[in-house]
Each structure stands twice: as C-alpha cells, then as structure tokens.
C-alpha cells in the first residue's frame, strides 16, 4: 500500500518504519525537524518525505499521528482526505497529561471524522507506547499483543486489520467508531500504568480467550 504519515514523531516514525520494512511505500511528513524526516527517508528504500498534502494525495491510507492540540492544523495541511482510509492514533490528552480533554459523549476519533468528510476513519494504534513500535519485535515472549481498532467503514477495517498484522499485532475489531470512547480512556490507563505505576513503556495488552 501507499501510506502517508502525518505526524512523524515517535509513534508515526515507528509505525512508518515497520510498514516500509514490510514493503509498503511510506511518505513521512509533518515534523518540526526536516533532518528527522530526511533520516527516516534515507533509512529504507520504501520511504520518502513530502508535505502533508503530498503524503495524503499520493496514499490510499493516511496515519494521523499528532498531538491533540495539532490535529486541526495537520488536517488542514493535508487537504482533502475524501476517499482515504484515515487511521487515527491520537489520544486527546490534556496539556499536563493528567487526563482526557474529550470523552464520555464523544471521542477524538469521532471529532476527527467530522473534520474529514468522505474519509473512512478508524481508531487504532493508540494504546501502545512508541517504544514498542521502535523495538526489534512486537512479540512479548511468544505472545502477540492485541491491537484494538474500531470504525464504521467495513472496507477500511479490512485494510487496517492487515496493517495491524503487518505491524506485528493481533487485530481485534472493537466495533463502530464510537468505541473510540472506550479505547481512548484505555490508552490513559496504559499511561497511568507505564508512568504513574512505574511499569515502564514496554508494556502492552493481550486479550485472553477460552
């Protein structure tokens, strides 16, 4: 696939590098550091850089990986996303990381969907720390981590489920986009466990069945 990364920070760069190594064509964009974008492009033959608009126009899938405060700016820079699969991995954190700025009756993903009419918006990749994406493997011992995703577009879900597998996770469909109201607080719990409880950033979730 052709994947545009809008927001090439720790999470966007980590996922982009994983997908490039899997053979996807990845365009990195929207970074405060041109040098970082260049280093990401130089690291893999399947990677390149461009403006957010170029990343969006030249890709079927767009990963939105920016701080909540920068979401509108990033979307405006990308231009029209109509017909694109948009993966939202943002978490609407307060400035001091003490809680969520949006929740209960809506979610960041649902608000983003309103900003990008005609796009297939899915929530995914928001419950895992960036260090896991930058590790050599997503395996925890012999276990695959569970990656929850949700959305209202069936075809987009099929696409994102494959990208989740390519990233080394077990995809788990959490239902419609409104389920992001639960996935975003789940990410807040992971932040509390990782930092507040001192468990660190190499932790993840695994759904056990029987």
């Amino acid at each position: 696939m052709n994947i545009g990364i809008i927001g090439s920070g720790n999470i966007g760069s980590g996922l982009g590098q994983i997908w490039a190594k899997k053979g996807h064509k990845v365009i990195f964009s929207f970074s405060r550091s041109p040098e970082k974008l260049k280093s990401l492009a130089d690291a893999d033959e399947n990677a390149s850089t461009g403006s957010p608009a170029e990343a969006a126009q030249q890709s079927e899938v767009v990963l939105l990986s920016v701080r909540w405060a920068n979401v509108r700016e990033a979307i405006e820079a990308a231009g029209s996303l109509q017909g694109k699969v948009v993966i939202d991995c943002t978490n609407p954190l307060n400035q001091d990381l003490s809680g969520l700025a949006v929740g209960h009756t809506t979610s960041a993903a649902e608000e983003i969907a309103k900003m990008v009419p005609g796009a297939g918006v899915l929530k995914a990749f928001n419950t895992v720390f960036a260090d896991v994406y930058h590790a050599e493997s997503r395996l925890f011992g012999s276990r695959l981590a569970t990656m929850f995703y949700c959305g209202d577009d069936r075809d987009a879900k099929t696409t994102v489920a494959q990208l989740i597998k390519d990233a080394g996770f077990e995809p788990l469909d959490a239902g419609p986009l409104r389920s992001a109201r639960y996935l975003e607080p789940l990410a807040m719990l992971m932040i509390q466990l990782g930092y507040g409880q001192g468990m660190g950033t190499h932790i993840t979730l695994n759904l056990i069945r029987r």
Side-chain angles (χ1 to χ4, degrees):
M1 301 178 198
N2 296 317
I3 305 172
I5 308 291
I6 300 180
S8 299
N10 291 335
I11 290 178
S13 64
L15 281 168
Q17 288 175 305
I18 291 169
W19 287 328
K21 289 176 182 176
K22 285 289 185 178
H24 300 291
K25 300 294 184 182
V26 176
I27 304 175
F28 292 100
S29 74
F30 203 77
S31 171
R32 292 188 295 269
S33 171
E35 293 79 13
K36 181 176 183 178
L37 288 177
K38 184 178 185 303
S39 68
L40 289 169
D42 290 344
D44 195 287
E45 63 180 3
N46 290 319
S48 62
T49 67
S51 68
E54 290 170 333
Q57 291 166 6
Q58 297 174 29
S59 303
E60 301 91 50
V61 177
V62 173
L63 177 75
L64 183 62
S65 178
V66 298
R67 294 180 180 178
W68 177 240
N70 301 119
V71 162
R72 189 170 293 278
E73 176 192 359
I75 289 174
E76 289 176 352
S80 174
L81 293 171
Q82 185 169 1
K84 308 292 183 181
V85 175
V86 176
I87 305 172
D88 164 36
C89 68
T90 69
N91 283 307
L93 302 175
N94 293 328
Q95 289 294 330
D96 62 1
L97 308 183
S98 64
L100 298 176
V102 174
H104 300 299
T105 58
T106 187
S107 63
E110 290 169 279
E111 295 306 305
I112 287 168
K114 296 174 185 176
M115 301 179 201
V116 290
V121 177
L122 273 83
K123 191 82 186 185
F125 299 108
N126 71 305
T127 56
V128 173
F129 288 103
D131 283 348
V132 176
Y133 298 131
H134 286 274
E136 290 186 8
S137 172
R138 257 55 60 200
L139 282 174
F140 285 73
S142 61
R143 297 171 73 175
L144 282 178
T146 301
M147 181 58 67
F148 301 98
Y149 66 102
C150 64
D152 299 328
D153 186 311
R154 183 177 298 178
D155 292 338
K157 277 188 168 183
T158 300
T159 297
V160 172
Q162 184 58 55
L163 289 175
I164 289 172
K165 290 178 183 177
D166 290 346
F169 297 92
E170 177 196 21
L172 197 153
D173 188 343
L177 193 63
R178 64 180 288 123
S179 291
R181 300 177 191 185
Y182 316 127
L183 295 186
E184 290 167 13
L186 182 58
M188 193 71 234
L189 174 62
M190 295 299 290
I191 291 170
Q192 173 63 27
L193 293 174
Y195 295 114
Q197 305 305 114
M199 296 180 68
T201 55
H202 283 276
I203 60 174
T204 187
L205 300 166
N206 177 251
L207 187 72
I208 300 174
R209 304 174 178 85
R210 68 177 181 184

